[in-house]
Amino acid sequence: MRAGSLIRDGWHASRHRVVGPFVRALLFGCALVVCSPLVPAPAQAQQILVLVQGQPITSFDVAQRIKLAQLTERQTLTQKQALEDLIDERLKIVTAERFGVTADQDEVDKMFARMGSRSGRTPEQLTQALAQSGLDAGMLKNKMRADYVWNNYVRGRFSSVATIRDSDVFAALQSKGEDLTRAQRTTEYTVRQIVLVVGRTASPGERSQRMAEANTLRKQFTDCEAGVQTARGMRETVVRDPVIRTSADMSAPVRKIMDETPVGQLTAPEVTRAGIEMIAICNRREVVGESAQKREVRADLENKQFEAVSRKLLDEARKSAMIQYR
């Protein structure tokens, strides 16, 4: 678990993230893909299965969507399910664009490139990895575009109908057997990030030496005041200013790391792009505030409401659209 990188980024959490789980599944799928012969689009004319606002969806599109679901979600869709997914995808783009929510090709290509970079691939390498499993990158990009514009469109409509009240949150907490008093308390941490810089061109031996130095510092680090001074005396080492974070802003795995690290000590060193990173826990105290459990319950209720609004808007789009099955 990269506690250091999460501290650095401030544990920013985005609400109603539509693409995130899909991206993680795709990267996992691409990592495991076994290279198979490239499956190009059939040379023969494709059978048009349906027209959505005059735009055709073919049998090849359906086959590609089935393959995409297998690769990214480990799901096997029927042809009917895949076809309905493609219809929804077209409607999402058309409906969002009608309200001025768009994503041009450059934006889609940037999203595709960021996806590849998360698995250490260039866009070309990601395209090749998809092709090796018989999937045209265009199918993925179309889904990315649809998810992106629809997410932004629904967010705009959702903000005017969101009605999650504290009473709803408390009721949900009670149903889970949570202590409502504890739900009004949160843990506050004062932390400092320590980075032992490692150059990108460093040899494996140099990297190992820096990791050994990090482990030695961790053993010697018993309180923040003296430990920080020791760290500052080390070569090519950066000590960040103190920052305050609360447990409600952290994921459960990160909270576990923060709670298991004694005050005045360092978290385990981890390798990041900057080098070897550790977090010093300088103070930890309980304060009045929204607990992580309360925030998670609220987010869950908001997500459910968001999904309900999304489904309603998509149903409305289907009713008003021209869909012609062939």
Side-chain angles (χ1 to χ4, degrees):
M1 172 53 59
R2 295 191 170 185
S5 57
L6 289 172
I7 288 284
R8 181 187 63 240
D9 296 337
W11 291 288
H12 289 313
S14 67
R15 293 168 46 199
H16 316 306
R17 188 172 297 165
V18 172
V19 180
F22 173 78
V23 169
R24 290 193 295 272
L26 175 71
L27 296 180
F28 178 73
C30 284
L32 298 181
V33 67
V34 177
C35 295
S36 59
L38 175 63
V39 181
Q44 68 269 26
Q46 291 299 304
Q47 179 185 359
I48 295 177
L49 303 178
V50 65
L51 292 173
V52 180
Q53 299 292 83
Q55 299 178 15
I57 295 176
T58 69
S59 54
F60 179 70
D61 295 328
V62 170
Q64 285 281 285
R65 174 44 57 89
I66 291 173
K67 195 174 293 292
L68 180 63
Q70 290 172 335
L71 177 63
T72 63
E73 302 168 24
R74 293 295 186 265
Q75 290 186 355
T76 301
L77 299 181
T78 65
Q79 289 194 347
K80 178 175 176 54
Q81 289 171 328
L83 179 60
E84 294 304 312
D85 281 353
L86 287 169
I87 292 173
D88 285 346
E89 182 178 289
R90 298 288 173 87
L91 290 176
K92 286 177 179 179
I93 294 174
V94 170
T95 304
E97 287 181 344
R98 187 182 304 138
F99 287 86
V101 182
T102 62
D104 60 29
Q105 191 58 46
D106 184 55
E107 286 178 298
V108 174
D109 288 341
K110 287 179 180 178
M111 287 188 282
F112 186 79
R114 286 195 294 270
M115 178 183 292
S117 68
R118 291 179 192 136
S119 63
R121 291 183 173 96
T122 64
E124 294 75 20
Q125 290 170 331
L126 178 55
T127 298
Q128 184 180 17
L130 294 170
Q132 287 173 336
S133 60
L135 184 63
D136 187 334
M139 175 59 64
L140 170 60
K141 290 183 179 181
N142 285 339
K143 179 169 175 55
M144 293 174 70
R145 182 194 301 274
D147 286 344
Y148 176 79
V149 298
W150 185 253
N151 185 41
N152 288 333
Y153 166 64
V154 176
R155 278 188 182 183
R157 300 289 295 272
F158 173 76
S159 61
S160 63
V161 299
T163 56
I164 303 300
R165 301 165 297 184
D166 271 356
S167 59
D168 299 324
V169 176
F170 288 134
L173 284 166
Q174 278 187 311
S175 69
K176 294 185 174 187
E178 297 284 353
D179 185 338
L180 297 187
T181 301
R182 293 290 302 168
Q184 302 303 306
R185 309 287 295 179
T186 188
T187 304
E188 182 181 270
Y189 308 86
T190 301
V191 300
R192 303 192 72 158
Q193 182 186 30
I194 298 175
V195 184
L196 280 67
V197 179
V198 179
R200 293 186 178 182
T201 59
S203 67
E206 291 172 323
R207 294 178 185 277
S208 296
Q209 182 179 353
R210 289 300 266 169
M211 179 60 77
E213 292 173 8
N215 283 316
T216 297
L217 175 62
R218 189 185 184 207
K219 291 178 181 177
Q220 296 173 345
F221 205 105
T222 56
D223 71 85
C224 280
E225 185 173 352
V228 163
Q229 293 304 315
T230 300
R232 283 178 170 160
M234 298 174 63
R235 65 183 181 91
E236 297 181 9
T237 298
V238 177
V239 180
R240 307 289 187 193
D241 290 337
V243 295
I244 295 176
R245 296 286 181 258
T246 65
S247 57
D249 297 322
M250 306 174 191
S251 66
V254 172
R255 287 199 303 272
K256 186 173 186 295
I257 292 174
M258 301 296 285
D259 288 335
E260 290 179 349
T261 303
V263 172
Q265 295 189 22
L266 294 171
T267 60
E270 58 179 272
V271 178
T272 68
R273 291 184 179 180
I276 311 297
E277 298 187 16
M278 295 176 287
I279 300 300
I281 312 298
C282 297
N283 191 31
R284 178 169 51 228
R285 63 177 185 144
E286 192 175 81
V287 297
V288 175
E290 192 171 74
S291 68
Q293 290 78 11
K294 184 180 177 183
R295 184 166 296 188
E296 288 166 1
V297 167
R298 183 184 297 278
D300 182 57
L301 292 175
E302 288 176 347
N303 284 337
K304 288 178 180 177
Q305 192 173 77
F306 181 84
E307 290 166 5
V309 172
S310 176
R311 185 70 256 174
K312 179 182 177 182
L313 293 175
L314 192 54
D315 287 343
E316 291 175 355
R318 272 185 170 263
K319 290 176 183 178
S320 62
M322 182 179 294
I323 303 173
Q324 298 173 294
Y325 290 90
R326 307 299 288 270

